[in-house]
Amino acid sequence: EVHRVEDGGGSVQAGGSLLLTCRPPDSTTNTPAVGWYRQNPGTRCELVAEVQSDGSTHYMDSVKGRFIISQETTRNAITLRMDNLRLDDTARYSCAPSRRCYGGSCCNYWGLGTQVTVSS
């Protein structure tokens, strides 16, 4: 059975919501930080949100107030709650250990990602 790391993506209308879940292949107990990244074809991989081991979070400016990243240690899962989605949120979303990945590798580090498509 293939371990699917990221799921929860889909097609929604602008203003809608999605909950993405990341289930890393290994325990993230000793991982300093985990991030959700996104990328569209031909564009760079960008960090959307990051949660650190102490619980502190960081967001890119365009998603502040709309997205929430959470780490659920009992399930070894990192979720990204996305509300009030906009057309420019359309991308393939991936999760990665943000202190170990670099550049484009962050968008295909653990899994293949999950596609989010926002339409008007």
Side-chain angles (χ1 to χ4, degrees):
E1 181 179 346
V2 176
H3 175 81
R4 187 168 182 177
V5 177
E6 303 98 347
D7 63 19
S11 297
V12 296
Q13 289 191 317
S17 299
L18 285 172
L19 177 66
L20 305 185
T21 301
C22 167
R23 297 181 180 87
D26 301 306
S27 171
T28 57
T29 301
N30 296 317
T31 302
V34 178
W36 275 100
Y37 296 79
R38 69 186 183 188
Q39 186 175 33
N40 283 300
T43 67
R44 67 181 182 87
C45 177
E46 55 185 6
L47 176 62
V48 176
E50 178 187 67
V51 58
Q52 300 183 13
S53 57
D54 64 359
S56 59
T57 56
H58 165 81
Y59 298 91
M60 66 185 305
D61 286 346
S62 66
V63 308
K64 287 180 180 177
R66 300 187 299 120
F67 290 12
I68 298 175
I69 187 171
S70 301
Q71 185 161 23
E72 300 179 19
T73 54
T74 56
R75 294 198 301 140
N76 193 43
I78 299 91
T79 61
L80 184 68
R81 171 72 182 186
M82 307 188 295
D83 292 321
N84 194 21
L85 282 160
R86 307 185 320 202
L87 298 180
D88 61 358
D89 293 319
T90 294
R92 176 161 290 273
Y93 287 69
S94 305
C95 58
S98 48
R99 298 293 182 272
R100 296 208 300 262
C101 68
Y102 178 79
S105 74
C106 298
C107 281
N108 57 13
Y109 193 93
W110 278 323
L112 301 178
T114 186
Q115 179 67 35
V116 172
T117 302
V118 184
S119 59
S120 59

